[in-house]
Amino acid sequence: MTRLRTALAAREDVRGIRDYNKTAFGARVARDYLDGLIAVFALIEARPLAGVAEPALGQGMRSFGFRSHRIYYKLEGEDLLVVRILHNAQHIPEAFGSSQ
């Protein structure tokens, strides 16, 4: 059975998303957005291959879109590791430490 884990960077991404949404749109919108992210986590945990392969970001890396963000993750043995959650406007290679 697949077990979902989140990398430190992904946890920081979630905090940033929550804080931004709370400031910009209010607590209710922020909570609804986080609930949606949690639903996507459950979906990719149950169906890890549901996302798009992202070989340019590393072996086994996949992504799944949610509203204005993409969740980047990979399988590590029996674990599904959520690596980052990035806004669509962010420069993705830079966020992964590459200057492509």
Side-chain angles (χ1 to χ4, degrees), residues 17-77:
I17 292 165
R18 178 200 61 207
D19 293 348
Y20 174 81
N21 283 337
K22 189 173 180 182
T23 300
F25 307 112
R28 183 172 184 187
V29 169
R31 182 74 241 161
D32 289 347
Y33 203 89
L34 292 179
D35 287 345
L37 279 174
I38 291 167
V40 172
F41 290 170
L43 184 145
I44 62 175
E45 184 178 23
R47 299 185 61 183
L49 299 180
V52 176
E54 299 279 1
L57 299 176
Q59 185 175 356
M61 188 67 66
R62 302 186 77 78
S63 72
F64 194 95
F66 173 71
R67 296 188 190 176
S68 59
H69 287 84
R70 289 201 76 74
I71 300 162
Y72 293 88
Y73 65 95
K74 61 184 174 178
L75 284 171
E76 291 187 337

Side-chain angles (χ1 to χ4, degrees), residues 5 11 13 30 39 67 99:
R5 294 183 304 117
R11 290 191 298 273
D13 293 337
R67 296 188 190 176
S99 59

